[in-house]
Amino acid sequence: MSRITNFALVRDVLTDPVIYPLIGDDYSPPVEEFRVNSHPDIWYVAALDRHGRAIGMFSLFPQNRVCWEVHVVMLPWASTKEKWKAARALPAWLASHSPCRRLTAAVPADNWPALIYGTHGIGMKYVGRHERAFMKGGQLQDLILLGLSIGG
């Protein structure tokens, strides 16, 4: 894992033609208008393979000093083993490199790969649901809330 401060790289990952249609809602801008939020409190953390190449990225948005919301993007060419290894490494990496002590996620109810990755990979638990809080494909759907306490 490594924090990314190269926002051009962050944009390249997020606007990958396979990834971009999956990460937004009906109100996301066209890819050519997408801008990366470079606020210093937001962390972009690269998941690296054994050769040091980025296989994906965790975007971390602090809700406050210790509670951060995670968004995950894994590149389509990365192996399943590499993706799961990155998921399992994230909580310990955050505990030793950041003030984050609570990790949260709000995942669209129909995004089963993200729900499985969050729960079985990162180790997050179901903590609730925001009903009809996400618009995708013209349909309102629930956001499943996940959480994990990390560190001491």
Side-chain angles (χ1 to χ4, degrees):
M1 303 272 188
S2 176
R3 187 170 180 191
I4 306 169
T5 54
N6 176 344
F7 299 114
L9 173 61
V10 170
R11 187 182 190 289
D12 286 347
V13 170
L14 294 176
T15 58
D16 177 275
V18 173
I19 304 262
Y20 193 72
L22 302 174
I23 63 172
D25 63 10
D26 285 357
Y27 306 102
S28 296
V31 69
E32 57 276 358
E33 294 177 18
F34 176 78
R35 301 289 176 263
V36 173
N37 189 334
S38 60
H39 190 282
D41 289 345
I42 296 172
W43 285 36
Y44 300 100
V45 176
L48 306 172
D49 69 10
R50 61 187 177 94
H51 303 292
R53 295 178 302 219
I55 59 160
M57 182 177 66
F58 300 99
S59 300
L60 298 143
F61 299 88
Q63 305 302 301
N64 57 52
R65 186 77 174 146
V66 297
C67 182
W68 293 12
E69 183 174 334
V70 64
H71 296 262
V72 180
V73 171
M74 289 291 141
L75 295 168
W77 52 263
S79 74
T80 300
K81 182 178 179 180
E82 290 170 324
K83 293 173 187 178
W84 284 94
K85 183 177 180 184
R88 288 196 247 351
L90 180 65
W93 189 90
L94 285 172
S96 63
H97 292 88
S98 78
C100 178
R101 293 300 171 260
R102 180 75 179 171
L103 197 58
T104 67
V107 182
D110 75 346
N111 191 342
W112 284 102
L115 289 166
I116 291 167
Y117 193 81
T119 56
H120 291 61
I122 296 173
M124 301 174 91
K125 305 290 183 220
Y126 174 86
V127 296
R129 170 184 297 258
H130 287 308
E131 294 179 358
R132 300 172 46 88
F134 187 80
M135 181 76 76
K136 186 78 170 195
Q139 299 292 315
L140 281 171
Q141 57 183 282
D142 294 355
L143 287 173
I144 306 298
L145 306 177
L146 305 176
L148 175 69
S149 294
I150 62 175

